Amino acid sequence: MKLALGTVQFGMDYGISNTKGQVSVEEVEKILITAASHGIDLLDTGSVYGSSETVIGELLAKNQLKFKLVDKVPDLESYDYSISEALKHSLARLKMDKIDGLMLHNSADLTEQSYAELSALKQQGLVDKIGISVYHTKPTFELEDRFPLDLVQLPMNLFDQRFFATGCIEWLKGKGVEVHARSIFLQGLLLMPFGELPPYFHPYKPLFDKLDSLCKKSGLSRLAAALTIAHRHDEVDRLVFGVCSEAQLIEVLEAYEQAGKVTFDASELSCHEEGLISPFLWPEGKRK
């Protein structure tokens, strides 16, 4: 299955549509058990996701659950310890001897030195794949040319189709890079009724109206429409998504199955307005 479970909500309050805050440990346990039973086999986490790593480590051990794990190293400028030390702490919290993937959280941290450190950890068998999380296409082309990577995580959703439009994803696949797409619900923004959105987003109403019109024509919910990316684009290896409850997870699984049965052309929804597709530009209080 292409779906991979993001876990930031397991360790902190995250997402514009999240009104309940950090997910309780009891609910995380239900989510993980249900995810495993439905064929989801990869968790995406990070040491900057609050207590996420600790919660995951304890619950996987308690329930004897097996998942592939991709972890992120925090912004190197914000911490005094090395990548290897960061991984050591993460492995301890996750109760693991190794993980499947390790990414730099900030592509600006990918230098000769950091790449050498990542490569050394791979050679030591502590990680199977090394990579970066990116936000823009141009640095992605430049960095992959300089530093051959195994894994790149990038933003992609119905509104943000930059990495397809520029040919970046096709180019990455040609180099043998595994591509993970995140922000498929745009922090939940794509799933919220327009009337509940803060005034900041009101100038984008025509785009939301177009989305609703396309959903009506195709018979898809916004949730299912957002998940059609997984079925339309073979180049994307994983779609990383987050949920705040077991009930939400089941909704996603059902919508994912529905999305694979309907043709949905999202090309006219492509938007290049950074103020909409880049959550870090949203005003405080409108983003998390």
Side-chain angles (χ1 to χ4, degrees), residues 18 35 48 90 118 122 137 162-163 173 177 181 199 236 277 280 285:
N18 179 9
V48 293
S90 291
L118 288 171
K122 182 179 176 181
T137 58
R162 293 169 295 167
F163 285 86
K173 293 306 297 180
V177 178
V236 177
I277 63 176
F280 60 87

Side-chain angles (χ1 to χ4, degrees), residues 49-91:
Y49 293 171
S51 58
S52 176
E53 291 179 331
T54 300
V55 171
I56 290 169
E58 292 176 353
L59 291 178
L60 294 191
K62 174 185 174 183
N63 294 280
Q64 297 184 327
L65 297 172
K66 301 293 184 182
F67 285 93
K68 297 177 182 178
L69 285 164
V70 173
D71 204 78
K72 294 187 184 74
V73 176
D75 294 349
L76 299 182
E77 291 184 359
S78 304
Y79 293 83
D80 295 330
Y81 46 78
S82 66
I83 294 174
S84 59
E85 289 174 318
L87 176 60
K88 178 182 177 181
H89 295 310
S90 291
L91 289 175

Side-chain angles (χ1 to χ4, degrees), residues 43 49 70 87 90 104 115 130 139 160 164 171 176 187 212-213 225 286:
L43 303 180
Y49 293 171
V70 173
L87 176 60
S90 291
L104 296 180
Y115 183 71
I130 58 174
D160 185 0
F164 280 119
W171 180 79
Q187 289 200 11
D212 287 334
S213 177
K286 310 296 186 294

Side-chain angles (χ1 to χ4, degrees), residues 4-216:
L5 192 59
T7 64
V8 61
Q9 293 94 336
F10 297 175
M12 59 195 296
D13 182 3
Y14 178 83
I16 190 171
S17 64
N18 179 9
T19 59
K20 297 182 179 180
Q22 181 180 337
V23 183
S24 70
V25 174
E26 292 76 17
E27 193 66 25
V28 173
E29 186 169 24
K30 294 178 184 177
I31 292 170
L32 292 175
I33 292 172
T34 299
S37 68
H38 284 79
I40 295 177
D41 64 351
L42 189 146
L43 303 180
D44 178 89
T45 190
S47 57
V48 293
Y49 293 171
S51 58
S52 176
E53 291 179 331
T54 300
V55 171
I56 290 169
E58 292 176 353
L59 291 178
L60 294 191
K62 174 185 174 183
N63 294 280
Q64 297 184 327
L65 297 172
K66 301 293 184 182
F67 285 93
K68 297 177 182 178
L69 285 164
V70 173
D71 204 78
K72 294 187 184 74
V73 176
D75 294 349
L76 299 182
E77 291 184 359
S78 304
Y79 293 83
D80 295 330
Y81 46 78
S82 66
I83 294 174
S84 59
E85 289 174 318
L87 176 60
K88 178 182 177 181
H89 295 310
S90 291
L91 289 175
R93 288 187 288 266
L94 292 166
K95 301 183 186 299
M96 298 283 180
D97 296 322
K98 59 172 291 187
I99 55 175
D100 294 272
L102 182 65
M103 294 188 293
L104 296 180
H105 206 286
N106 187 345
S107 59
D109 288 333
L110 188 56
T111 63
E112 296 285 352
Q113 179 179 343
S114 62
Y115 183 71
E117 288 186 64
L118 288 171
S119 298
L121 294 172
K122 182 179 176 181
Q123 291 173 357
Q124 294 168 27
L126 295 174
V127 299
D128 290 329
K129 300 170 184 176
I130 58 174
I132 54 171
S133 176
V134 297
Y135 297 86
H136 299 285
T137 58
K138 188 173 183 293
T140 306
F141 283 113
E142 296 172 349
L143 291 171
E144 173 60 27
D145 254 347
R146 292 177 59 198
F147 307 107
L149 298 166
D150 306 307
L151 175 62
V152 169
Q153 187 185 95
L154 47 83
M156 185 179 68
N157 53 66
L158 295 175
F159 291 166
D160 185 0
Q161 302 179 39
R162 293 169 295 167
F163 285 86
F164 280 119
T166 59
C168 188
I169 290 182
E170 185 177 359
W171 180 79
L172 287 170
K173 293 306 297 180
K175 289 181 169 288
V177 178
E178 186 172 318
V179 175
H180 291 194
R182 66 171 186 277
S183 196
I184 59 172
F185 304 139
L186 196 52
Q187 289 200 11
L189 188 73
L190 287 171
L191 309 181
M192 294 177 68
F194 190 83
E196 296 180 9
L197 297 183
Y200 171 79
F201 297 102
H202 289 183
Y204 305 106
K205 186 175 188 300
L207 194 59
F208 284 89
D209 288 343
K210 188 179 293 185
L211 169 59
D212 287 334
S213 177
L214 287 172
C215 286
K216 185 176 181 180

Side-chain angles (χ1 to χ4, degrees), residues 212-260:
D212 287 334
S213 177
L214 287 172
C215 286
K216 185 176 181 180
K217 289 179 182 177
S218 63
L220 294 176
S221 64
R222 283 200 197 172
L223 176 59
L227 291 165
T228 57
I229 290 172
H231 302 286
R232 292 196 336 262
H233 299 292
D234 293 335
E235 305 94 332
V236 177
D237 296 289
R238 297 282 188 165
L239 251 64
V240 180
F241 72 99
V243 295
C244 295
S245 68
E246 181 189 24
Q248 286 184 0
L249 172 60
I250 292 172
E251 285 181 18
V252 170
L253 290 167
E254 292 174 348
Y256 177 76
E257 183 176 352
Q258 181 190 11

